[in-house]
Amino acid sequence: MKTIGILTSGGDAPGMNAAIRAVVRTAIYNGLKVKGIMRGYAGILQGEFIDMNLSSVADILQRGGTILRTARCEEFKQKEVRKKAAEILKTHGIEGLIVIGGDGSFRGAQLLSSETGVNTIGIPGTIDNDISCSDYTIGFDTACNTAIDAINKIRDTATSHERANIIEVMGRNAGYIALYAGVAGGAEIIILPEVQWNINEICEKITYGIKRKKLHHIIVLAEGVISAAELDKMIRERLPKLDLRHTTLGYIQRGGAPSVMDRILASKMGARAVELILENKSQRVVSIRNNKIVDDDINSALSMKKEFNYNLYELSKILSI
Ligand code: ADP
């Protein structure tokens, strides 16, 4: 019987557990054995392997985080360390490895496979949605829902006090969470790394909003631009009388029960990853594009460029006049 390994690597994301469950259950359904590897690539080197059965993944579908834990493992960037990892995998009988993570984790999986022959399959798990080959990544939808929940609450108090509020959301160098949460949360202003912005235009928009008696001004800011505190200072310098507050949502966006969208995406991706192993495929990343589950060679997946949704950004400007 073939044995596969599964690990989560890089930043955690809600829905990773749903993907682990899908991998384990699909693998067992197809007669494979599964070993869970704790703490990403570091767990291979430290020999942290767990035999997974059907009940190892019971009651995790609805839980945020990852039961396999996650860690960063700098030494995995060294060729000799990856060689050692492959030897350890071999001693545990692991022929295929499924890696749930981001770009960095996929780079590690690609090198491990091309250098040592271990079959590797990547599943995109990150709240940032910054993996080019996939329209959506596991965790993004949940993070957006968490962000709009917070925006709704801040909007209540902003309206009562007729205040402006800056809400800084995560996303690393990408503005997907800010864009989606900003549109869904009815933000007046959305500031993203992908779009040029001008502080004077932002202040003009706030001033215009005050003149037309808007009750609040919600500014959604992507963390990859500047910090909420810095933007707060820039606005105060220009509009000293404005009643302004800022909030950084931070790690609440990384946790919580995964949304329906994330659970389904994770279930489909996890199952497809196992199918690819059964087809003896290697160095592939599972993605969703145009609502279809597809897979690509890791190298070509890593070199793809994702088209930013400028139409949605333009729509946000029309809807917030
Ligand atoms: P993410 O997978 O979310 O992009 P990182 O970039 O931190 O997160 O990568 C996670 C882990 O993947 C790293 O700690 C390391 O073990 C491995 N990794 C990242 N980049 C490489 C690389 N160039 N070569 C080999 N392994 C890598």
Side-chain angles (χ1 to χ4, degrees):
M1 187 192 285
K2 202 169 177 174
T3 302
I4 64 168
I6 175 164
L7 59 82
T8 48
S9 168
D12 68 344
M16 280 185 165
N17 280 329
I20 295 167
R21 173 179 175 269
V23 166
V24 171
R25 296 249 164 113
T26 310
I28 293 172
Y29 176 84
N30 285 286
L32 301 179
K33 273 191 183 172
V34 190
K35 294 202 181 195
I37 301 162
M38 300 299 291
R39 298 178 185 82
Y41 294 118
I44 303 179
L45 302 169
Q46 282 146 22
E48 293 187 88
F49 293 81
I50 300 166
D51 290 322
M52 307 286 278
N53 56 35
L54 293 174
S55 48
S56 317
V57 290
D59 205 22
I60 66 165
L61 177 67
Q62 76 284 8
R63 279 198 262 147
T66 158
I67 59 161
L68 294 177
R69 312 280 186 266
T70 183
R72 296 204 152 87
C73 176
E74 267 306 299
E75 51 180 331
F76 201 72
K77 292 181 180 167
Q78 298 163 30
K79 193 171 178 177
E80 57 280 18
V81 172
R82 290 192 294 271
K83 188 165 173 251
K84 190 175 157 213
E87 282 159 13
I88 297 169
L89 288 172
K90 210 171 166 193
T91 62
H92 287 266
I94 293 173
E95 295 165 70
L97 181 67
I98 295 177
V99 173
I100 307 173
D103 282 0
S105 305
F106 297 161
R107 226 161 257 128
Q110 195 279 328
L111 290 170
L112 178 72
S113 184
S114 60
E115 292 162 2
T116 69
V118 176
N119 284 0
T120 55
I121 306 291
I123 298 178
T126 163
I127 64 163
D128 304 328
N129 205 31
D130 58 353
I131 296 180
S132 301
C133 57
S134 198
D135 292 345
Y136 298 105
T137 56
I138 296 168
F140 170 66
D141 184 64
T142 307
C144 289
N145 279 300
T146 301
I148 61 159
D149 185 44
I151 293 169
N152 292 343
K153 287 173 177 160
I154 289 171
R155 186 203 284 265
D156 288 345
T157 161
T159 304
S160 306
H161 287 270
E162 297 168 73
R163 266 181 193 145
N165 273 268
I166 300 164
I167 303 162
E168 182 191 318
V169 299
M170 281 184 161
R172 267 206 294 198
N173 299 317
Y176 296 101
I177 297 178
L179 179 62
Y180 277 63
V183 173
E188 275 76 21
I189 295 162
I190 304 174
I191 306 177
L192 312 160
E194 293 84 354
V195 180
Q196 286 277 337
W197 62 286
N198 177 306
I199 188 66
N200 295 323
E201 279 174 19
I202 285 167
C203 292
E204 275 165 28
K205 188 158 185 188
I206 296 171
T207 308
Y208 168 77
I210 293 168
K211 277 198 194 126
R212 85 162 186 80
K213 302 215 173 347
K214 271 201 164 222
L215 295 175
H216 51 67
H217 303 270
I218 301 290
I219 303 159
V220 173
L221 168 69
E223 68 175 346
V225 181
I226 50 168
S227 72
E230 286 169 301
L231 182 64
D232 183 307
K233 188 164 170 275
M234 289 170 84
I235 295 175
R236 272 177 209 279
E237 280 165 6
R238 288 160 179 85
L239 300 174
K241 288 193 188 138
L242 181 71
D243 194 356
L244 177 66
R245 297 287 185 277
H246 67 263
T247 307
T248 300
L249 297 188
Y251 278 89
I252 62 162
Q253 295 158 97
R254 287 265 289 268
S259 65
V260 172
M261 292 291 283
D262 276 329
R263 293 183 201 198
I264 290 176
L265 182 64
S267 301
K268 286 182 176 176
M269 286 181 163
R272 183 66 191 133
V274 174
E275 284 168 16
L276 289 170
I277 295 254
L278 288 165
E279 291 164 17
N280 223 14
K281 300 256 174 69
S282 183
Q283 298 177 47
R284 310 291 295 174
V285 179
V286 180
S287 301
I288 186 160
R289 286 203 297 275
N290 302 321
N291 220 12
K292 281 205 170 66
I293 299 292
V294 294
D295 57 277
D296 301 281
D297 171 72
I298 294 182
N299 273 336
S300 55
L302 289 175
S303 63
M304 286 181 190
K305 287 271 167 291
K306 185 141 95 184
E307 188 105 345
F308 192 75
N309 198 338
Y310 290 104
N311 290 340
L312 189 58
Y313 178 74
E314 289 306 319
L315 178 64
S316 79
K317 290 206 290 190
I318 294 169
L319 300 186
S320 63
I321 50 168

